[in-house]
Amino acid sequence: MKLSHTFTLAAAKLKVRRRRTIVTCTTIALLFGVVIFFLTVYSSLFASHTRMSAEIFDGNTFIITSTFRNFNTVTIRARALELYDLSQDEDKRYPLIEDEWHEGEFFLDHTNKFVIQASDEEHARLMSEQHITLTEVAARYNGEIIANTEGLHRSSDLFFPALEIPPGAQGAMPSGVAIDILPRSVVNSLIAFEPNMQDSVPVIIPAEHAARLLNLSRLPDDASPRELEARLKDIHDRAPGLIFHGHSTDTFFGVPINDEIEEESLNSSELDDEISESPTEHITFQVIGISAGTIQPYTIPGPSGFRDERPFLLRVLDGINSFGGGAGFIIPTEFINDYTLQYFERSYTSWLGGSTIIRFSRPADLIDFRANEFCYDDNPHCTLYGGAQEFMSSIYWLHTMSYNINTGVVYLTAFLGFIAMFIMAGTIGRVIEDEKQATAIYRAVGATKGAIRKIYITYVTLLSAITATLALIIGYGFSLAIHIAYSRILTANSRVTYGLPESTHTIWTVGFDIRTLLVIGAIFLVGLLCTLLCFDRMISKSIIKDIKD
Amino acid sequence: MPILKTKNLTKSYKTKKGIVHAVTDVNLSVEKGEFVAIMGQSGSGKSTLIQLMGGLDTPTSGEILVDEIDITKLKDNQLSKFRGKKFGFVFQTFYLQPFLTVAQNISLPSMFTNSQNLSLDRTRKLASILKIEDKLDSYPSEISGGQTQRVAILRSLYNNPAIIFADEPTGNLDETNSIAVLKMLKSINQKLGTTIIMVTHDSRVKQYATRTITLQEGKIT
């Protein structure tokens, strides 16, 4: 059978059954049109939004990972090893103690002050198997590791935005160490990590302890929000100048270390007396920030009760972890790029929250980074490097929201698409079954099954083409209507949000989304499949039976 | 040599009430150029017989030889092609395609057989014989019953078939149109030498047929 005859017969059906064709195609096209509408509006909004926001993001740091727990842990490890090297000095020799439980791991021990070891067997295995550098991770997402020499985006900035970084602080600042209630060994550890901070260790302390140090009276439990706000402001105003002292009787790498720092010695009301008793043994702590966090009891148990058995430093770190504001060390800049990251399934050895900055050139890279690298505790397969916290900004929030909408749009369009496909399948099935008598006559006058199949494939392809065209008209029509109605106000609002009154970019809702092609393809594919699947039902062995049916 | 021959042709149906023997052991021979009228009461099996001979239905047993070819042995596609070249059909209810014009309906068989006959001139020529040339661009719904049947007859003729099977072609027509259709068929039979096998209740057909066969309870009497 010639193609021209096939087309003539298929087109003739459309021509005469105009009403039915229009109803069938319009019904299906409406559903697919809505899908196209969603895709078009969303992708256009997202594209225009990204274009406008790029003016803000270009060349700016807009994310920090304020807590890179594993990185910090490894830094500690590296630092411990460095200390070990230093310990080869005859005068400063510290024994290297092999880990009895996990072969291959070793740690330094100096009265249990520096111990880096796996917390359990799995931890040890992961430590040895997974070596990925932070630089590598950053590169994967077009990121760039930078030293936080400018003190960008520290949590303390929320409270003391104008604070100068103390001299000598090259890396991230501590972000919430409640020195006043930590056991003296914690203090020693902190100092040991950064001996050059011996003269004045900058700390951030929880607000409630700052109040104690400042001899502020305790607020009643039922204090009003206004009183609380006033109290916080009072603390903020006074804390930056607050200096308090611990005292030591020993040294550690030249840093005075106190064997017996008493908790009460940290009570500022008694500081003056203690300072006067042994001024040379004092360590000065300068408060540079107040964290809003309060002390929380540590409630996460270690595996198989292992936590109680963990060496000293790990317990110390756990202790630091118990503060809501986090804790941190000053990480030397030169360490940042070189150290191997280790993966920890659980985080009880980490949360030494120094700030490490990864600068991303595009918001999308940051979002990808977070999506792929964020580690959830209930995800046993995660291969991540710590909990990256997003930079709190409305711009970033807009991006996050856009991505969330994207997910919603994908699900919604998939759902609508499936419904549309089922309806289309049913409609095509009915259309073809209604053609039973016509096909029987074709056969009676000499048509083979193949010839009839060609006619109906052509017929349904023409139906699909009409449907797809209508769907595009409906989808883009609605998008255009939305554009005409809202583009101006969306643009104005977005410029305000981004702070770009002079932006040349506009927000629009009409554009092309590559997924539209999938929708159009689905229309044709469903039509074709239904034709082929329904075809055999349309033709029985007896022509007469089909004619009479 | 007969153009069509049936040997022990039988068709049975299974129904809820039991097996119905529509056609039983029919042995029939039709010579080329004959105009055979098959008559009988309703339910006698005459329509079933003509449908079997035309290859529109499959027999339960027996043979149907057309030009010595047993069409019961042909595969579906072979049978379709065979029908398209050798047979023409005229039905009681015409069965024109409502979405095709009169011209397209007339030439429909040649679209499937890739016949060289397909041309508008030929269609016009055939239409003028039956005086419907002015209706070629009309749709079936726009012409009368008599004209519709003429279109159906022309459709059956288009591929120059050897046999035309007509299943009560006058059943839906008034007397004038019925006589006209019978005359047309007779004319085709005489002028073109086409064999015509027609099933009918109409006793007037005896004047036109060269042979009349009566069927009773599925058997030739």
Side-chain angles (χ1 to χ4, degrees):
Chain A
M1 188 182 182
K2 287 180 181 171
L3 191 64
S4 59
H5 295 153
T6 306
F7 188 79
T8 302
L9 292 176
K13 284 180 193 295
L14 290 179
K15 192 176 170 188
V16 170
R17 297 182 179 176
R18 212 172 294 144
R19 193 171 163 188
R20 177 175 164 177
T21 303
I22 289 170
V23 170
T24 304
C25 294
T26 309
T27 308
I28 302 167
L30 260 175
L31 284 160
F32 282 112
V34 171
V35 174
I36 292 171
F37 165 71
F38 275 122
L39 290 174
T40 303
V41 169
Y42 169 70
S43 61
S44 307
L45 273 176
F46 189 74
S48 52
H49 162 80
T50 302
R51 188 176 287 189
M52 187 183 282
S53 65
E55 291 181 45
I56 298 288
F57 285 115
D58 283 350
N60 290 309
T61 300
F62 53 90
I63 176 68
I64 61 162
T65 57
S66 66
T67 300
F68 236 115
R69 53 194 181 194
N70 301 320
F71 174 77
N72 287 321
T73 307
V74 174
T75 301
I76 294 165
R77 180 172 187 248
R79 187 66 166 156
L81 294 172
E82 185 184 64
L83 293 173
Y84 169 74
D85 289 339
L86 290 171
S87 74
Q88 301 309 299
D89 187 309
E90 283 186 6
D91 297 333
K92 299 171 183 173
R93 186 182 296 280
Y94 299 98
L96 178 67
I97 297 178
E98 196 166 339
D99 183 350
E100 293 175 8
W101 300 312
H102 306 296
E103 197 176 347
E105 291 293 328
F106 61 90
F107 53 91
L108 288 165
D109 182 49
H110 173 62
T111 60
N112 274 341
K113 285 189 177 58
F114 287 94
V115 179
I116 302 293
Q117 68 171 59
S119 57
D120 56 24
E121 203 165 332
E122 177 66 4
H123 178 180
R125 186 182 66 76
L126 291 167
M127 281 179 73
S128 62
E129 287 179 0
Q130 300 194 27
H131 301 283
I132 302 170
T133 64
L134 190 59
T135 313
E136 216 175 296
V137 176
R140 198 181 301 164
Y141 300 97
N142 301 317
E144 172 197 7
I145 299 284
I146 59 169
N148 191 3
T149 51
E150 296 170 3
L152 294 170
H153 308 307
R154 295 165 304 167
S155 57
S156 58
D157 291 339
L158 299 173
F159 299 97
F160 300 103
L163 189 72
E164 298 261 331
I165 304 299
Q170 295 179 328
M173 298 305 298
S175 57
V177 182
I179 288 296
D180 60 332
I181 55 107
L182 286 180
R184 54 89 187 159
S185 44
V186 175
V187 178
N188 293 345
S189 301
L190 287 169
I191 297 165
F193 270 101
E194 287 304 327
N196 62 341
M197 284 288 118
Q198 58 185 291
D199 293 334
S200 174
V201 177
V203 295
I204 294 176
I205 60 175
E208 61 183 270
H209 299 295
R212 280 176 52 209
L213 291 166
L214 292 165
N215 284 327
L216 297 172
S217 60
R218 180 181 167 79
L219 277 178
D221 290 340
D222 58 351
S224 68
R226 183 167 294 181
E227 286 174 308
L228 288 170
E229 191 183 346
R231 166 56 58 90
L232 196 60
K233 188 173 184 307
D234 194 12
I235 295 171
H236 286 176
D237 290 343
R238 296 169 60 185
L242 179 65
I243 293 175
F244 64 99
H245 308 269
H247 57 178
S248 60
T249 58
D250 199 355
T251 60
F252 181 69
F253 283 96
V255 177
I257 293 176
N258 180 12
D259 276 338
E260 299 296 334
I261 292 181
E262 303 292 341
E263 278 198 26
E264 55 269 28
S265 73
L266 296 167
N267 185 323
S268 63
S269 64
E270 299 172 12
L271 281 176
D272 289 346
D273 294 341
E274 292 194 18
I275 289 166
S276 62
E277 284 169 12
S278 52
T280 57
E281 296 172 342
H282 287 174
I283 302 165
T284 304
F285 297 91
Q286 182 178 17
V287 176
I288 61 161
I290 306 291
S291 80
T294 55
I295 301 168
Q296 302 293 333
Y298 189 86
T299 54
I300 305 170
S304 310
F306 181 70
R307 177 173 172 261
D308 292 338
E309 300 299 322
R310 272 179 290 169
F312 172 76
L313 182 59
L314 302 185
R315 274 184 278 136
V316 167
L317 302 182
D318 277 352
I320 293 173
N321 189 25
S322 69
F323 294 95
F329 290 112
I330 298 168
I331 301 170
T333 308
E334 64 268 24
F335 281 17
I336 290 179
N337 290 326
D338 301 332
Y339 290 110
T340 300
L341 288 172
Q342 304 282 355
Y343 169 77
F344 293 83
E345 189 177 13
R346 289 178 184 275
S347 63
Y348 24 83
T349 59
S350 59
W351 286 105
L352 286 175
S355 299
T356 302
I357 294 179
I358 297 181
R359 190 204 304 268
F360 295 94
S361 55
R362 294 180 305 157
D365 294 330
L366 160 66
I367 290 162
D368 286 347
F369 168 81
R370 282 178 51 73
N372 294 321
E373 305 299 337
F374 199 85
C375 185
Y376 298 96
D377 285 345
D378 57 355
N379 175 9
H381 307 296
C382 63
T383 56
L384 312 175
Y385 313 103
Q389 295 175 356
E390 66 264 29
F391 174 41
M392 296 301 289
S393 80
S394 57
I395 299 164
Y396 178 75
W397 178 80
L398 273 170
H399 269 280
T400 309
M401 190 178 71
S402 296
Y403 273 83
N404 290 340
I405 291 172
N406 184 27
T407 309
V409 166
V410 168
Y411 283 119
L412 184 66
T413 49
F415 177 69
L416 281 174
F418 271 114
I419 290 177
M421 282 195 279
F422 277 115
I423 291 175
M424 185 175 176
T427 309
I428 298 286
R430 276 200 306 280
V431 165
I432 289 198
E433 287 218 9
D434 286 351
E435 296 290 329
K436 214 168 184 177
Q437 193 182 70
T439 55
I441 298 297
Y442 288 160
R443 291 172 72 197
V445 299
T448 61
K449 280 186 183 178
I452 297 171
R453 191 181 286 121
K454 275 185 201 167
I455 293 169
Y456 283 94
I457 286 174
T458 309
Y459 173 53
V460 172
T461 304
L462 289 172
L463 273 180
S464 300
I466 293 169
T467 304
T469 308
L470 282 174
L472 284 170
I473 290 169
I474 291 167
Y476 276 93
F478 283 158
S479 306
L480 189 64
I482 294 283
H483 181 79
I484 291 167
Y486 294 109
S487 177
R488 185 173 291 182
I489 193 164
L490 281 172
T491 300
N493 284 346
S494 299
R495 283 178 181 167
V496 169
T497 305
Y498 290 121
L500 292 168
E502 303 302 323
S503 172
T504 53
H505 294 117
T506 58
I507 302 294
W508 70 92
T509 64
V510 183
F512 175 71
D513 187 311
I514 191 79
R515 287 171 291 191
T516 305
L517 291 179
L518 285 178
V519 176
I520 301 300
I523 292 173
F524 282 93
L525 192 65
V526 170
L528 184 67
L529 285 176
C530 286
T531 308
L532 295 175
L533 290 173
C534 297
F535 188 75
D536 284 341
R537 278 193 301 170
M538 185 167 68
I539 290 180
S540 65
K541 208 170 180 183
S542 166
I543 294 172
I544 279 300
K545 185 174 173 293
D546 289 346
I547 290 177
K548 286 176 181 172
D549 280 350
Chain B
M1 188 177 70
I3 191 166
L4 185 145
K5 193 174 181 182
T6 67
K7 288 183 183 173
N8 302 321
L9 192 62
T10 298
K11 178 70 178 180
S12 307
Y13 299 102
K14 277 183 185 175
T15 65
K16 287 177 183 175
K17 292 176 182 173
I19 296 175
V20 175
H21 300 284
V23 173
T24 309
D25 282 333
V26 169
N27 291 295
L28 176 65
S29 185
V30 178
E31 296 297 324
K32 184 173 168 45
E34 268 196 291
F35 187 149
V36 179
I38 302 172
M39 302 186 74
Q41 292 180 332
S42 291
S44 60
K46 54 187 185 302
S47 282
T48 306
L49 178 62
I50 201 173
Q51 288 155 10
L52 290 170
M53 289 190 295
L56 300 179
D57 205 355
T58 48
T60 308
S61 63
E63 291 177 3
I64 303 162
L65 300 169
V66 178
D67 284 342
E68 299 295 310
I69 297 168
D70 185 356
I71 64 169
T72 63
K73 300 277 192 304
L74 294 178
K75 290 179 181 172
D76 193 79
N77 277 351
Q78 290 174 324
L79 183 58
S80 288
K81 287 177 183 170
F82 192 87
R83 265 195 310 264
K85 286 176 184 169
K86 294 278 184 181
F87 299 161
F89 293 93
V90 181
F91 300 98
Q92 182 180 355
T93 43
F94 323 131
Y95 294 126
L96 298 187
Q97 298 296 309
F99 47 84
L100 298 178
T101 61
V102 165
Q104 286 170 326
N105 265 293
I106 291 171
S107 59
L108 186 65
S110 63
M111 290 188 186
F112 296 117
T113 53
N114 290 329
S115 163
Q116 299 300 315
N117 295 328
L118 178 59
S119 74
L120 195 58
D121 281 348
R122 177 174 161 75
T123 307
R124 279 206 191 99
K125 195 176 171 186
L126 282 172
S128 66
I129 294 170
L130 297 191
K131 294 174 184 168
I132 53 167
E133 65 272 27
D134 57 334
K135 299 289 180 185
L136 285 177
D137 293 328
S138 303
Y139 285 94
S141 59
E142 297 164 354
I143 57 177
S144 69
Q147 288 170 328
T148 305
Q149 193 59 301
R150 273 182 267 168
V151 173
I153 290 168
L154 287 178
R155 181 180 67 186
S156 71
L157 265 181
Y158 204 87
N159 275 354
N160 293 327
I163 306 170
I164 290 178
F165 295 97
D167 188 358
E168 303 207 30
T170 58
N172 280 347
L173 302 176
D174 58 25
E175 188 176 349
T176 312
N177 278 315
S178 294
I179 291 169
V181 164
L182 288 172
K183 282 181 178 173
M184 282 174 216
L185 291 172
K186 183 64 184 172
S187 172
I188 290 163
N189 172 246
Q190 286 179 335
K191 289 180 181 171
L192 302 175
T194 309
T195 307
I196 294 178
I197 301 173
M198 182 166 73
V199 163
T200 183
H201 281 111
D202 192 341
S203 57
R204 284 171 299 195
V205 81
K206 287 177 183 173
Q207 301 170 38
Y208 303 94
T210 53
R211 181 156 56 123
T212 303
I213 294 167
T214 307
L215 218 60
Q216 195 172 4
E217 293 181 350
K219 292 179 180 173
I220 295 173
T221 57

